[in-house]
Amino acid sequence: MEVLQAVEACDDTRLRARCLQAIQVVSRTLDLYGTRGVAFSFNGGKDSTVLLHIIRAALAQRQRQHETAAGLPNGFCDDLPLGGVLTFFFHYDTDFPEVLAFTHDTNKRYGLAMEILTGDFKRGLEQLLQQTHVQAIILGTRRGDPNAADQETFCPSSAGWPPFMRVNPILEWSYHDVWGFLQLAAVPYCCLYDQGYTSLGSVSNTERNSALRLEDGSYAPAHMLPDARLERAGRQSRVERSDSVKGVRRTAALLIIGDEILSAKVEDVNTRFLCTELRAIGWRVCKASVGVVVVGDDVAAICREVRALSAEHDIVITAGGLGPTLDDVTMAALAEALDQQLALHPQLESRIRAFFGANTTGAHLKMAEAPTGSEVHLIEYHLEGGAVSPFPLLRCRNVYVLPGIPALLQKKWRAVEVHLRSEAPSQAPFRTALLRLRLTDETQVATALERVAAELGEEVQLGSYPVSDQVDGAGIVLSLESRACEALAAACERLKELLPDGAVISEHQDCTAINTPVASPPGVGLAAAADGGVVAAAAAAAATGAVHGGTDAADGTA
């Protein structure tokens, strides 16, 4: 009851609304499945700790409602642990001792009668469902988690898994929402969070978060993390962790917006352009999770992806949906993703009115709308000749907002590039090498790739791509990529040693195009000819005025 009272008395209206909504989700789950049909997965982390007390609050609310309206079935069993909701915990040998101690203490403190499971998670879950009446499991999944991209509040289990309903009451909560609740409820949590840890995995893959390191070498508690995007910074691969220590962890995600892309009315040339430009300045379009997403002109879909991508990546770049028409909804979606109102931005409105003068219409002013709040910033960019454009870019938190028309996007990208270079520490760009082979059977290169990956895979990314109808007769192109020139050169030489004699037709440096056209124009090398097709496509799209996520009349005129 004390948690419910703390929530109801909370002065933070946003946090109180989040908590009450989560309590309602739990209560609705109990209505649908009954207490015997619901289980709760506890792992000792901050998110599952929040859920434990959300469930307790929901049960207290139901009990109070039952006492108020006597005679109604309450679905609440006061004599059963957690009101009859089964709590289970998967124990692994690699768990932190502190997590195990906290779990044991929590089990005892709240009388959970927790089921302790071991072994394979999937198999253990299958056995649990077979032996009980459980049909729904309450989980601590949040939108920024690696497995949360396609989940909803009520979400059936994935294909290949035992059937049950996943219930995610705090799916849309932020990192700071979690800590706001734990501090509001004044409940115990694992002591590791006061020692510099922000996300707990196993002993083998979790370290203290370097963003919390203080000058004296100690660590601030997790709730003081200044940037929620760094929540999982202590749970990265060895290469990513090395980058973080140097202060250069830089991952980007792209959100390409427009029905015209999904319906194939317009070719998406923006993804290739942005990937090329980002990697040229040392940014990684992340492979560990979804790094490029294409969505239609739908506010809910755009909002969902912005929340997920911005939580998982250092920056997000959107392309499309900024024009004056009804299908241009990117700004409305951003406002929702930031939990802000959509309103006329004073500076943008002033510039729009100054540019169009007496001809300013409501359609023009639609392009002056932006989310409210202090997290919205303007970024100036320059027109040809050096003049400052009257229409700056917007950055909302860590989301850079670009138009979808390729010609305009490529112009405005230069301002983003300058901004990224000024804010982020210098880092070597990614360098690429291509080996074009006269082989057609990838089994002939598999062993060589495995050997090089084992020797240099921490520093060099490798890929094999079958091709056909190539000018030079190539059947396979091997791609090698690294920031370290010496490692890249060593990997190339090692690959050439391991490949069959005479397999390599040619080698190309810093060329990202895999395919070559059937016939190259006279005097054009393979690399130039390969890139020419994409450049021509972009030029054609711009020349025909192809609408790509809305128009930008202001910049088009300027």
Side-chain angles (χ1 to χ4, degrees):
M1 183 65 74
E2 74 283 355
V3 174
L4 179 60
Q5 292 173 340
V7 167
E8 292 175 335
C10 179
D11 293 331
D12 184 335
T13 56
R14 180 178 176 278
L15 179 60
R16 183 172 69 249
R18 285 275 166 99
C19 295
L20 291 175
Q21 183 183 37
I23 290 170
Q24 181 58 37
V25 169
V26 171
S27 187
R28 183 57 178 155
T29 303
L30 297 175
D31 288 339
L32 291 171
Y33 299 100
T35 52
R36 294 182 67 198
V38 179
F40 163 47
S41 175
F42 185 80
N43 64 12
K46 61 185 184 300
D47 298 328
S48 64
T49 301
V50 167
L51 270 188
L52 167 63
H53 298 288
I54 289 291
I55 295 171
R56 292 180 62 232
L59 292 170
Q61 186 185 67
R62 291 165 70 84
Q63 178 68 2
R64 186 174 65 186
Q65 291 169 348
H66 168 68
E67 293 171 352
T68 301
L72 295 178
N74 60 13
F76 178 76
C77 303
D78 195 33
D79 59 337
L80 293 176
L82 206 61
V85 174
L86 172 67
T87 304
F88 65 92
F89 172 81
F90 266 91
H91 168 73
Y92 298 102
D93 293 337
T94 56
D95 287 332
F96 278 92
E98 294 87 348
V99 171
L100 296 176
F102 173 68
T103 300
H104 174 76
D105 179 69
T106 301
N107 187 32
K108 183 178 179 180
R109 182 189 299 265
Y110 299 104
L112 301 179
M114 191 179 294
E115 293 279 344
I116 307 298
L117 307 178
T118 59
D120 178 72
F121 183 86
K122 183 177 179 181
R123 178 58 182 160
L125 195 59
E126 188 174 43
Q127 291 176 347
L128 178 72
L129 294 173
Q130 290 173 350
Q131 296 167 6
T132 66
H133 297 279
V134 170
Q135 296 175 278
I137 299 177
I138 300 175
L139 302 164
T141 302
R142 287 191 291 115
R143 185 63 70 189
D145 296 343
N147 65 332
D150 299 321
Q151 293 204 40
E152 301 296 339
T153 303
F154 289 90
C155 182
S157 55
S158 302
W161 282 74
F164 66 94
M165 180 62 71
R166 292 178 289 193
V167 182
N168 303 311
I170 61 171
L171 184 64
E172 304 300 341
W173 284 35
S174 70
Y175 177 83
H176 293 301
D177 289 335
V178 168
W179 283 109
F181 173 84
L182 291 174
Q183 292 174 324
L184 171 70
V187 293
Y189 52 82
C190 181
C191 64
L192 290 176
Y193 292 114
D194 286 333
Q195 301 171 21
Y197 292 88
T198 53
S199 178
L200 299 178
S202 66
V203 173
S204 61
N205 69 6
T206 307
E207 295 180 352
R208 288 178 173 84
N209 194 323
S210 60
L212 291 173
R213 186 178 175 87
L214 303 175
E215 291 184 3
D216 63 359
S218 63
Y219 287 81
H223 69 85
M224 295 184 66
L225 185 69
D227 189 340
R229 292 170 290 165
L230 299 177
E231 176 184 355
R232 297 178 64 85
R235 295 179 61 181
Q236 302 164 21
S237 69
R238 180 149 48 111
V239 173
E240 290 173 323
R241 190 174 300 125
S242 173
D243 281 352
S244 292
V245 171
K246 299 172 185 175
V248 289
R249 174 181 177 266
R250 301 196 295 184
T251 64
L254 307 181
L255 182 58
I256 309 300
I257 300 166
D259 290 341
E260 69 279 6
I261 300 295
L262 295 175
S263 62
K265 293 183 177 70
V266 173
E267 181 182 1
D268 174 23
V269 298
N270 288 333
T271 294
R272 186 180 191 278
F273 172 81
L274 290 170
C275 284
T276 300
E277 294 295 320
L278 283 164
R279 298 184 77 78
I281 59 173
W283 284 79
R284 182 187 299 275
V285 179
C286 195
K287 294 183 179 180
S289 59
V290 177
V292 180
V293 177
V294 181
V295 294
D297 299 308
D298 178 84
V299 171
I302 298 169
C303 171
R304 182 170 60 248
E305 296 300 343
V306 166
R307 285 177 173 169
L309 294 173
S310 65
E312 185 71 14
H313 302 272
D314 293 292
I315 64 167
V316 178
I317 298 176
T318 72
L322 300 184
T325 58
L326 78 169
D327 59 330
D328 295 311
V329 296
T330 296
M331 282 302 177
L334 281 172
E336 186 171 329
L338 296 173
D339 293 313
Q340 299 290 338
Q341 297 295 317
L342 182 68
L344 287 173
H345 189 287
Q347 289 178 265
L348 289 178
E349 180 184 6
S350 175
R351 293 189 182 199
I352 288 283
R353 290 188 182 279
F355 187 84
F356 290 103
N359 296 321
T360 302
T361 66
H364 291 129
L365 291 177
K366 184 176 187 292
M367 296 187 291
E369 292 179 337
T372 57
S374 60
E375 295 178 304
V376 177
H377 305 276
L378 301 184
I379 300 176
E380 304 291 357
Y381 87 102
H382 293 79
L383 303 172
E384 293 181 8
V388 175
S389 169
F391 308 103
L393 291 80
L394 261 68
R395 175 168 66 95
C396 303
R397 194 176 293 167
N398 65 330
V399 181
Y400 292 83
V401 187
L402 291 176
I405 299 174
L408 289 175
L409 179 143
Q410 291 173 26
K411 289 179 181 178
K412 292 194 171 187
W413 158 253
R414 297 305 163 197
V416 177
E417 179 184 3
V418 170
H419 194 257
L420 292 178
R421 288 183 183 275
S422 66
E423 284 204 343
S426 178
Q427 187 172 8
F430 286 94
R431 306 297 299 273
T432 303
L434 299 182
L435 297 179
R436 301 182 61 82
L437 312 181
R438 53 176 47 91
L439 306 176
T440 57
D441 182 357
E442 282 191 290
T443 62
Q444 294 179 277
V445 303
T447 301
L449 289 172
E450 290 173 2
R451 290 274 297 275
V452 175
E455 296 170 7
L456 296 163
E458 287 289 334
E459 295 183 276
V460 181
Q461 298 177 40
L462 305 170
S464 174
Y465 306 95
V467 293
S468 59
D469 299 324
Q470 302 295 291
V471 174
D472 57 358
I476 296 173
V477 179
L478 301 183
S479 172
L480 302 88
E481 191 169 64
S482 177
R483 287 194 181 99
C485 292
E486 292 183 1
L488 184 64
C492 279
E493 292 305 313
R494 183 63 174 140
L495 259 183
K496 287 186 286 187
E497 291 174 5
L498 297 172
L499 291 170
D501 291 341
V504 178
I505 299 173
S506 59
E507 179 180 344
H508 302 266
Q509 300 296 324
D510 296 324
C511 172
T512 58
I514 301 300
N515 286 294
T516 62
V518 174
S520 299
V524 177
L526 289 176
D531 287 333
V534 176
V535 174
T544 57
V547 178
H548 188 21
T551 59
D552 192 336
D555 280 301
T557 306

